[in-house]
Amino acid sequence: MKKSIGIFPKQFGFFPYIFLVYVLFPINYLLAETGTKQIIGFGLVLLFLITYRQLYFTTGKTAFTYWLTVQMSIIFIFSCFYDLNHIFLGFFPANFIGYYREKVKFKRAFISLIAVLLAPFVYHFVMGNIHFTKDILYFVPFLVIMFISPFGIRSMNRRMELEQKLAKANQHIEELVKREERVRIARDLHDTLGHTLSLLTLKSQLVQRLVAVDTDRARKEAREMEVTSRTALKQVRELVSDMRTTTIAEEVLQVQQILRAAEITFEYNGSSDFSLIPPVTQNIVSMCIREAATNVVKHSKATHCSISISQSTEKMDIIIHDDGMGVEKNKLFGNGLRGMEERLTLIDGGLELNNQHGAMLKITVPIIKKAEPRGAIV
């Protein structure tokens, strides 16, 4: 499919066509001329129209200066050797000079415009064709507008450019937000629904073993599976509504259930009062504890797991220790541990994973002191 070429770029709309009305003035003056001078004049008008079109297509390019120079030269020739009223064509280059982004180029073009517009007055004054008070003062208001126009156009173009950059920046931010939201949803699914499904898998395996030897306990485990599945459904609904928050105390109880289902003994050491810990911090720490417990069940081959939580005025330490096979040195973090690390970064926390008669994960989170109330403000 061939690309169509218009008279002027589409982004400028109908504006370029309006300015073409002013080209009728030199044509009107040329009708009074005769012979070679008239032919050259019409040739210059045609060249002026070409420069006018090319300036729109070469904006921001090297050829822009070339076409602008040709246009101002035509105005100079018309104003000096045809009629001084051709000076009104100066509105054309005054508009285009404002398209210069570089300050140096803008200044040079503006000085050139001043020279091109004032030189014809000097020429005609020396030749005795005009009088200062009678003729020159008539052009002063128009000259002032021409000299101000480049600054107005430049300011307008810079504002439009900034708006375009802002629009692109906002679009980029929206894309980053969407990407981050997808990562968050994936992480939350991994940390909530994934762990619950792991618990259901463990319980289903346990039920299969118990059906033949202990039907009563098998029924009990099946009922617990039903409760767990309903909990999973609730977790999904809470995740979608983005209103789910879990306390550390609640998570410790859930971890105990997961480990018990995997036939891993559990021991907890620490306080049960986490009221001084902000909800956001508790939610992030809870997800980290859950992730650590799931890793113990899946990868450690441990028979015992303990969680210790200690609080001070400045920080909180959480230690998850198991008696399993430990962690290989220089082993890269999996998706779970990497997600824990990313979450803890949000609250300036950190983690360490070491071998100590099994694997020991230490999570450290700073505690932000709440300001004491000074009384109600009336």
Side-chain angles (χ1 to χ4, degrees):
M1 186 176 179
K2 293 184 178 180
K3 189 176 180 180
S4 59
I5 301 176
I7 300 177
F8 297 105
K10 292 183 179 180
Q11 65 265 29
F12 292 100
F14 194 68
F15 178 76
Y17 297 93
I18 297 176
F19 259 66
L20 289 175
V21 176
Y22 294 98
V23 181
L24 296 176
F25 290 101
I27 294 176
N28 180 58
Y29 289 116
L30 287 173
L31 292 176
E33 302 290 345
T34 56
T36 304
K37 191 174 182 180
Q38 186 184 58
I39 296 173
I40 295 174
F42 281 116
L44 290 174
V45 170
L46 179 60
L47 181 58
F48 186 89
L49 290 172
I50 294 173
T51 63
Y52 181 61
R53 179 183 182 276
Q54 291 302 110
L55 283 168
Y56 278 109
F57 281 99
T58 58
T59 302
K61 301 178 181 178
T62 305
F64 182 82
T65 301
Y66 166 77
W67 289 110
L68 185 61
T69 302
V70 174
Q71 188 176 87
M72 288 196 289
S73 300
I74 294 172
I75 296 173
F76 176 79
I77 295 171
F78 270 140
S79 302
C80 287
F81 305 110
Y82 283 81
D83 193 293
L84 184 59
N85 286 299
H86 286 90
I87 205 74
F88 290 111
L89 292 175
F91 281 106
F92 286 86
N95 169 66
F96 288 111
I97 288 173
Y99 285 85
Y100 277 114
R101 297 179 181 178
E102 301 85 352
K103 189 176 292 185
V104 175
K105 291 183 178 180
F106 174 79
K107 287 182 178 179
R108 290 176 180 173
F110 181 68
I111 293 172
S112 300
L113 178 67
I114 294 174
V116 167
L117 295 181
L118 295 183
F121 290 95
V122 176
Y123 174 80
H124 286 286
F125 184 76
V126 172
M127 297 297 293
N129 297 329
I130 59 174
H131 300 283
F132 181 78
T133 56
K134 186 177 180 181
D135 299 312
I136 296 181
L137 290 179
Y138 165 75
F139 293 96
V140 170
F142 301 100
L143 290 172
V144 171
I145 296 174
M146 292 182 201
F147 295 150
I148 294 176
S149 294
F151 295 94
I153 297 296
R154 188 167 189 260
S155 177
M156 182 184 68
N157 288 337
R158 289 182 64 184
R159 185 187 65 185
M160 293 174 61
E161 184 179 353
L162 288 174
E163 289 177 352
Q164 291 176 355
K165 290 182 178 180
L166 180 61
K168 290 182 180 179
N170 288 333
Q171 184 179 1
H172 183 60
I173 291 172
E174 288 178 2
E175 292 175 357
L176 291 177
V177 169
K178 290 178 182 178
R179 187 182 305 171
E180 180 62 26
E181 186 67 13
R182 287 195 293 268
V183 173
R184 183 192 67 79
I185 292 173
R187 187 185 295 125
D188 286 347
L189 285 172
H190 179 273
D191 292 343
T192 54
L193 187 59
H195 298 159
T196 305
L197 292 176
S198 297
L199 176 60
L200 287 172
T201 301
L202 292 170
K203 282 186 172 293
S204 66
Q205 293 173 351
L206 179 61
V207 169
Q208 291 175 21
R209 294 197 300 267
L210 292 173
V211 166
V213 295
D214 192 345
T215 55
D216 292 336
R217 187 181 173 188
R219 291 192 189 96
K220 181 181 178 182
E221 293 294 339
R223 285 194 295 270
E224 289 186 5
M225 287 179 63
E226 180 183 359
V227 173
T228 303
S229 64
R230 293 182 183 277
T231 302
L233 179 60
K234 182 181 177 183
Q235 287 175 339
V236 172
R237 289 171 178 170
E238 290 173 342
L239 180 61
V240 171
S241 62
D242 198 26
M243 295 179 63
R244 182 179 182 275
T245 57
T246 306
T247 64
I248 296 175
E250 291 172 345
E251 194 57 51
V252 170
L253 292 176
Q254 292 185 13
V255 165
Q256 185 177 4
Q257 291 180 357
I258 294 175
L259 294 174
R260 186 168 65 86
E263 298 182 343
I264 299 174
T265 58
F266 174 73
E267 180 184 358
Y268 174 72
N269 298 307
S271 172
S272 59
D273 182 14
F274 303 101
S275 57
L276 297 179
I277 309 300
V280 174
T281 301
Q282 287 206 48
N283 194 47
I284 291 177
V285 171
S286 298
M287 289 185 175
C288 292
I289 292 175
R290 187 186 309 173
E291 177 63 40
T294 303
N295 286 340
V296 170
V297 172
K298 288 182 176 180
H299 309 299
S300 69
K301 297 183 180 180
T303 59
H304 179 75
C305 177
S306 65
I307 297 179
S308 301
I309 300 178
S310 60
Q311 301 181 59
S312 66
T313 56
E314 297 180 351
K315 65 177 182 176
M316 177 173 62
D317 293 324
I318 303 98
I319 298 177
I320 299 98
H321 183 242
D322 67 72
D323 63 351
M325 59 187 297
V327 182
E328 297 179 12
K329 292 184 178 180
N330 299 324
K331 183 178 180 181
L332 297 177
F333 278 6
N335 291 332
L337 291 175
R338 189 179 299 111
M340 292 167 59
E341 197 172 41
E342 291 175 357
R343 287 184 180 277
L344 290 170
T345 302
L346 298 175
I347 54 176
D348 295 329
L351 60 81
E352 296 178 8
L353 183 62
N354 300 309
N355 283 322
Q356 188 173 332
H357 304 292
M360 185 178 73
L361 178 68
K362 181 178 181 181
I363 299 172
T364 304
V365 178
I367 296 178
I368 301 175
K369 298 179 181 179
K370 295 182 180 179
E372 296 182 359
R374 297 182 179 179
I377 299 175
V378 181

